[in-house]
Amino acid sequence: MPFVPIIPASYQQDRQDLQDALAALIDAFIASTSFAIIRKFWSELPNTLTGEGPFVALGDITETITHDISLRTTVYTGAIWYVDWLTDPSEYNTRVAVFADHMRDLFTANPTITGRGLLQQVGFQESELRQGVMNFGAPQVLYTYNVQEGRN
């Protein structure tokens, strides 16, 4: 007997929900700060770093999926990049500290997305990007989004 696939009546859109929620968190950050911490938001890291900074960009999202007899667990991991010039260390450090502190509180205050999974910041790491002769500070908010779903 040939294999006949079961076609789900509906599909989950967890990845899109996650991207929308991250964009909403960044919009909330921009609206809640009086500093010019972010001048631009990109849904992905741009190919060239121009005079748009400081800016925020969503990094890649990785999925890890596990199954047991009655449960599918999907863990999305990724980073939100904060990209800024390294011209004045005191101003840069202040902007990074404000970004890190506010994003941590925003993640803590918003632990779920559409009631389906747990969204949490799991770290903050310093890093740099280099383009040509320019160095940019590029620390990252690291997050996970865990979704569990029953199976038949």
Side-chain angles (χ1 to χ4, degrees):
M1 185 161 145
F3 173 74
V4 178
I6 298 169
I7 300 173
S10 65
Y11 292 92
Q12 302 302 325
Q13 58 179 34
D14 296 321
R15 177 180 279 268
Q16 187 60 52
D17 289 343
L18 172 59
Q19 289 178 327
D20 292 346
L22 294 172
L25 286 174
I26 293 165
D27 288 342
F29 170 84
I30 292 168
S32 69
T33 57
S34 58
F35 299 104
I37 303 286
I38 300 173
R39 292 180 56 197
K40 182 84 174 162
F41 167 59
W42 298 92
S43 61
E44 59 188 44
L45 199 59
N47 290 330
T48 59
L49 306 176
T50 62
E52 301 289 347
F55 68 85
V56 169
L58 297 182
D60 294 338
I61 298 173
T62 302
E63 290 182 40
T64 303
I65 303 166
T66 57
H67 299 268
D68 68 19
I69 290 178
S70 63
L71 190 66
R72 177 179 72 190
T73 302
T74 306
V75 179
Y76 300 87
T77 58
I80 300 171
W81 294 71
Y82 176 78
V83 181
D84 198 352
W85 290 273
L86 295 173
T87 53
D88 183 342
S90 65
E91 288 182 12
Y92 169 78
N93 288 336
T94 298
R95 288 191 297 266
V96 168
V98 169
F99 178 72
D101 292 342
H102 281 73
M103 289 304 292
R104 183 176 47 254
D105 288 344
L106 280 167
F107 270 87
T108 301
N110 297 280
T112 62
I113 299 173
T114 65
R116 286 187 39 82
L118 176 64
L119 175 65
Q120 56 189 351
Q121 181 179 345
V122 295
F124 187 85
Q125 68 182 18
E126 298 283 344
S127 62
E128 290 185 8
L129 293 174
R130 183 173 180 86
Q131 187 173 69
V133 297
M134 295 291 298
N135 281 336
F136 298 87
Q140 303 163 42
V141 170
L142 307 174
Y143 64 85
T144 62
Y145 177 48
N146 300 300
V147 178
Q148 293 185 331
E149 180 175 34
R151 297 176 60 196
N152 296 333

